[in-house]
Amino acid sequence: MPSDYTLHGTMNPVYVNDILDYQDYLTFRHNIGSGGTASVTFAGSVRLVY
């Protein structure tokens, strides 16, 4: 994945006051020091309001 790639997705239908929980796990190669593999998990929750 290039460093300028924007993560995106779609969810529908969604409504006001819906609560969306999300989580993703990414693994990627890096060239820090002698190089290697890194991973990151990100997660959150969003409540839709006007």
Side-chain angles (χ1 to χ4, degrees):
M1 172 169 39
S3 60
D4 63 348
Y5 181 81
T6 302
L7 299 174
H8 64 276
T10 58
M11 293 178 277
N12 58 349
V14 292
Y15 304 99
V16 172
N17 290 320
D18 279 356
I19 297 173
L20 306 175
D21 298 317
Y22 59 90
Q23 179 175 330
D24 207 347
Y25 177 81
L26 302 173
T27 301
F28 53 95
R29 300 286 300 161
H30 66 79
N31 60 358
I32 300 171
S34 61
T37 302
S39 61
V40 62
T41 299
F42 61 92
S45 183
V46 175
R47 181 174 163 245
L48 303 178
V49 297
Y50 281 110

